[in-house]
Structures are given as structure tokens and as C-alpha cells.
Amino acid sequence: MTSSGSTVATCGTCGTKNRVPWEADGVPRCGKCKSLLPWIGEAGDGTFAEVVTASVIPVLVDIWAPWCGPCRMVSPALEHLAGEMAGRIKLVKVNADVAPQVSAAFEVRAIPTLLVMRGDEVLSRQTGAAPEHQLRNWLEEVLSSASSPQV
């Protein structure tokens, strides 16, 4: 496993700050109280496979750019949802300006583009900013259908 980075996450239960690697074999838990932590990371052309496709839980990929107003508007909602859905989803931000191969691979034509992935498979895709409640409904629907047995 190549170390690509980490984020500091504050536990919602006990307030302890925890370093959370962008890639790991399990799901992050608080070192003190063992509560699930939000899993937010970053990936680029060279780290996408390790950070996204190797994840043990579904990944919400946010393909964005720093100059994009709608991207900056939706980012706090995505981070909040990653906290609400800790242990169920991992949020990975991909800067389209520095990851052109990822953008090309997923045929990104507009940003923000949101993908829900499990391994190499795109379970769902949404382009453009949406209010938090719509994003929550979309994610809940995708996650519930992804966990349902296929007939």
C-alpha cells in the first residue's frame, strides 16, 4: 500500500481528533471511543486506484475544480453527508484540473460531476450542484439498491 495522504477527522461522539488515511483496508474508527469516522480523501491520476477502486465501501467521487462556483457550493454538503453516512460511504475529491486522466476516463464534460462507485463500477452519476437534501436522497437510493441482493 502506497501512502497517498491523510485527513484529520474529529469524532462526532467524543471530540477526539484522528488522522484518517485516504486509503485503508477497513473503515476508519475513532482511536479513543471506536465510533465510525467520516472518511474524506483526495485522489488524482496516480492515486485513484488505491484511494477509490480499492475501497471496501462505496465511494462518492466528487470531480471538481477550485475555480468552479457550484463545486464550492456543494462541497460542504458532501462533507456533511460523509459525516452522516460514516462507515457507509467514503468521499473522495478529485481536482479535474490536476487529474485529466480521471476526467477523461469518466467522460466528465461538466463539473461538479459526482460518481458513486464500488470498485471499478460506477453505480450512479450526477452532474451539477444540488441541495443537500437531494444529494442525501440520491445517495440513500444508490446505497440501498447497491446493498440489495440482485435477482
Side-chain angles (χ1 to χ4, degrees):
M1 179 166 89
T2 307
S3 179
S4 59
S6 63
T7 306
V8 174
T10 302
C11 178
T13 303
C14 71
T16 300
K17 292 186 180 196
N18 297 266
R19 185 158 304 280
V20 178
W22 294 345
E23 55 187 81
D25 294 332
V27 294
R29 292 186 174 273
C30 177
K32 184 175 182 181
C33 73
K34 307 302 181 212
S35 294
L36 290 167
L37 294 170
W39 201 356
I40 302 172
E42 297 176 14
D45 288 339
T47 58
F48 192 83
E50 294 86 13
V51 177
V52 176
T53 59
S55 177
V56 297
I57 61 174
V59 179
L60 171 58
V61 179
D62 174 18
I63 302 174
W64 69 287
W67 48 263
C68 169
C71 298
R72 290 192 311 268
M73 288 173 37
V74 78
S75 185
L78 296 176
E79 292 175 12
H80 184 252
L81 291 169
E84 276 185 17
M85 298 180 177
R88 295 178 55 209
I89 197 152
K90 175 181 184 179
L91 171 61
V92 176
K93 301 173 96 28
V94 177
N95 183 336
D97 289 343
V98 297
Q101 293 172 358
V102 171
S103 296
F106 295 102
E107 299 178 354
V108 174
R109 303 287 180 250
I111 52 175
T113 292
L114 306 175
L115 309 169
V116 178
M117 297 184 65
R118 175 177 281 150
D120 289 335
E121 181 185 3
V122 176
L123 303 176
S124 187
R125 175 187 192 112
Q126 180 169 308
T127 302
E132 186 173 325
H133 71 278
Q134 285 180 341
L135 293 170
R136 180 182 296 105
N137 292 342
W138 172 64
L139 285 171
E140 290 289 357
E141 182 179 311
V142 173
L143 293 175
S144 65
S145 65
S147 63
S148 299
Q150 301 299 318
V151 179

